[in-house]
Amino acid sequence: MNNIYTPTAENIARAAETIKQGGLVSFPTDTVYGLGANVYNAQAVANIFKAKERPLFDPLISHIADIDFLSEYAITDDRAIALAKHFWPGPLTFVLKRKDNNPAIDLACAGLNSIAVRMPNHPVALELIRQSGVPIVAPSANRFKTISPTTAQHVQDSLGDRVDMILDGGACRIGVETTIIDLTGKHIVILRAGGMAREELEAFTGEKIYLSHDNPDLPKAPGQLLKHYAPRMPMRINVEADDVKADEFFIGFGDVKGAQLNLSPSGDLCEAAANLFAFMREAETHSEYKGIAMSPIPENGLGLAINDRIRRASYKE
Ligand code: TXA
Ligand code: MG
């Protein structure tokens, strides 16, 4: 069965109707494809967890198309509004304290007293949310622990008929998930490195932005598992070209020799992020290789997000 639809006005209207009626729609965003449902429909939200085979303790991000929606269920302050006005729509998710006026979203929030919200920078996503008339909760549209989808075909391959419709917006421009920041405390803490670089956040706020994985005392995102984003083959990271084994598929970065695929021959981290998940998927289809080796990636800009994903992808349970 093929569920992929071009995002014509007619198909977006049909997708919005599907959301309203409690169905699941996969849609493109600036970062990765999402698997969306009406945040207020607990049965639809439960179906997301079922389709992904994802544990219920892992909360979901709400996608909105208008900053005014924020105050409907989150407690906002000047800092959150200023960040939203500057960075939205874009690859940045906020974790804020929840208003306790909406028990219907308990499941989406996994019972936490905080909520994750973002505004995606993609015309199809924004139009779908507007026409649905409700925030759309959406995790990445892949099965739990596997590689996130950056094309409609990836979604089809991973979820197939578990989703009612897949809107095809082409390849995602950024290619790694949003940066998630915790705004519930005095300092801003990055819970998950992603498509918005820490440096850009620091430049705007003029403050140090903390990294949750650096410090066990800082808040954490419940879904950040050590093994995640995993291809079907073992993967080694920080491998120099000379150390690649004959039976390894080599994904290079920068000016390296002998790579089967190169994330960015010119060493551009944005280009590398956009290619990352698609290249990991491509590598795992080559059954003539026993594993994947990956070049070292610098730990700055989007390199933070890339290194986070490949560290988890290469984690040995
Ligand atoms: O780019 C993205 O963020 C994509 C697109 C589809 O928007 N979405 C995405 O969702 O990556 P997902 O479900 O794969 O990852 C959401 C992460 C999880 O690690 C979850 O634990 C965390 O967000 N999260 C959600 N609500 C939270 C909360 N209240 N407090 C802390 N972490 C939260
Ligand atoms: Mg995910």
Side-chain angles (χ1 to χ4, degrees):
M1 180 164 143
N2 187 332
N3 288 339
I4 300 180
Y5 295 81
T6 43
T8 57
E10 197 186 345
N11 284 336
I12 294 177
R14 184 168 159 193
E17 200 50 43
T18 304
I19 293 280
K20 282 188 203 161
Q21 292 181 1
L24 301 184
V25 174
S26 176
F27 59 95
T29 79
D30 42 352
T31 56
V32 300
Y33 274 73
L35 177 63
N38 175 353
V39 68
Y40 299 121
N41 184 327
Q43 185 56 52
V45 176
N47 286 339
I48 289 183
F49 288 95
K50 204 167 132 201
K52 277 184 66 94
E53 298 167 25
R54 169 166 164 151
L56 290 169
F57 59 76
D58 194 2
L60 305 174
I61 298 172
S62 291
H63 296 63
I64 61 176
D66 183 339
I67 293 181
D68 292 343
F69 252 113
L70 246 193
S71 53
E72 183 150 321
Y73 49 35
I75 298 172
T76 57
D77 54 21
D78 292 347
R79 180 176 66 178
I81 298 297
L83 285 162
K85 285 192 172 148
H86 187 75
F87 288 110
W88 282 359
L92 185 65
T93 296
F94 299 171
V95 170
L96 291 161
K97 291 209 177 87
R98 232 179 104 178
K99 285 188 177 160
D100 52 9
N101 58 348
N102 249 324
I105 62 173
D106 271 352
L107 181 57
C109 296
L112 298 175
N113 58 8
S114 59
I115 183 159
V117 190
R118 72 173 290 225
M119 190 190 295
N121 189 9
H122 196 293
V124 174
L126 292 172
E127 191 52 31
L128 176 67
I129 299 163
R130 276 189 208 109
Q131 288 195 27
S132 301
V134 292
I136 296 182
V137 269
S140 49
N142 54 300
R143 293 201 196 187
F144 186 56
K145 286 192 182 178
T146 64
I147 303 167
S148 294
T150 53
T151 66
Q153 190 60 49
H154 294 162
V155 180
Q156 170 80 37
D157 294 345
S158 185
L159 297 175
D161 60 9
R162 296 178 180 199
V163 39
D164 297 307
M165 284 180 82
I166 303 167
L167 290 173
D168 188 353
C172 298
R173 190 172 54 79
I174 295 171
V176 289
E177 296 86 346
T178 51
T179 298
I180 303 179
I181 55 174
D182 181 302
L183 294 175
T184 62
K186 182 166 182 294
H187 298 293
I188 299 176
V189 180
I190 292 183
L191 301 181
R192 175 179 73 185
M196 174 67 62
R198 177 194 199 179
E199 292 88 338
E200 263 189 77
L201 291 167
E202 290 186 331
F204 178 71
T205 61
E207 283 173 30
K208 177 174 163 64
I209 307 284
Y210 292 80
L211 291 176
S212 119
H213 72 248
D214 277 357
N215 184 339
D217 296 330
L218 293 175
K220 297 272 176 291
Q224 297 299 292
L225 307 177
L226 287 171
K227 180 88 183 167
H228 205 164
Y229 312 102
R232 284 190 286 260
M233 280 189 229
M235 187 164 128
R236 292 193 305 136
I237 58 176
N238 291 320
V239 182
E240 300 291 351
D242 295 346
D243 296 326
V244 178
K245 296 177 187 148
D247 60 2
E248 279 179 324
F249 188 99
F250 182 32
I251 302 181
F253 173 79
D255 185 15
V256 295
K257 296 220 162 49
Q260 269 74 34
L261 289 171
N262 194 318
L263 289 170
S264 171
S266 67
D268 175 346
L269 288 165
C270 293
E271 184 185 11
N275 285 328
L276 179 68
F277 291 144
F279 283 11
M280 280 164 59
R281 277 171 194 275
E282 157 101 41
E284 71 176 10
T285 64
H286 287 268
S287 52
E288 68 275 26
Y289 293 95
K290 295 240 157 38
I292 302 170
M294 177 99 58
S295 278
I297 309 287
E299 186 73 357
N300 57 55
L302 293 201
L304 221 61
I306 298 172
N307 280 321
D308 171 80
R309 304 302 183 275
I310 62 180
R311 221 178 287 122
R312 293 178 208 278
S314 64
Y315 184 80
K316 286 205 191 74
E317 277 168 315

